């Protein structure tokens, strides 16, 4: 059983916001749409992958690649958060 409710969505939005703020501090005043999309994907992966079984993890990665084609995202580093 996986939790895809409002609590999980809130967590993803909070992590996304923190990553975007960190990017703005590191790289300037604005973040373009491509970078913002990559940061949101990082947040989704960070919040979701630890909860999935190995088989479901591969399905999840395939789903992310289908939804966001051509986007390569590196994992977030906890020390940076």
């Amino acid at each position: 059983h996986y939790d895809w409710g409002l609590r999980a969505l809130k967590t993803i939005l909070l992590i996304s916001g923190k990553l975007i703020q960190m990017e703005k501090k590191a790289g300037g005043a604005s973040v373009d749409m491509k970078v913002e999309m990559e940061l949101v994907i990082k947040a989704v992966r960070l919040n979701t992958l630890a909860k999935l079984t190995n088989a479901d993890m591969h399905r999840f990665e395939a789903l992310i690649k289908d939804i966001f084609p051509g986007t390569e995202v590196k994992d977030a580093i906890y020390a940076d958060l």
Side-chain angles (χ1 to χ4, degrees), residues 23-62:
E23 185 70 23
K24 285 180 179 181
K25 285 181 184 176
S30 66
V31 175
D32 68 4
M33 186 69 129
K34 183 176 189 274
V35 172
E36 186 172 328
M37 183 171 52
E38 290 171 359
L39 294 173
V40 171
I41 295 168
K42 276 186 189 182
V44 169
R45 293 179 81 239
L46 187 66
N47 187 56
T48 307
L49 287 179
K51 301 174 190 176
L52 301 178
T53 64
N54 191 36
D56 288 345
M57 180 184 69
H58 295 297
R59 290 182 186 115
F60 177 79
E61 290 290 348

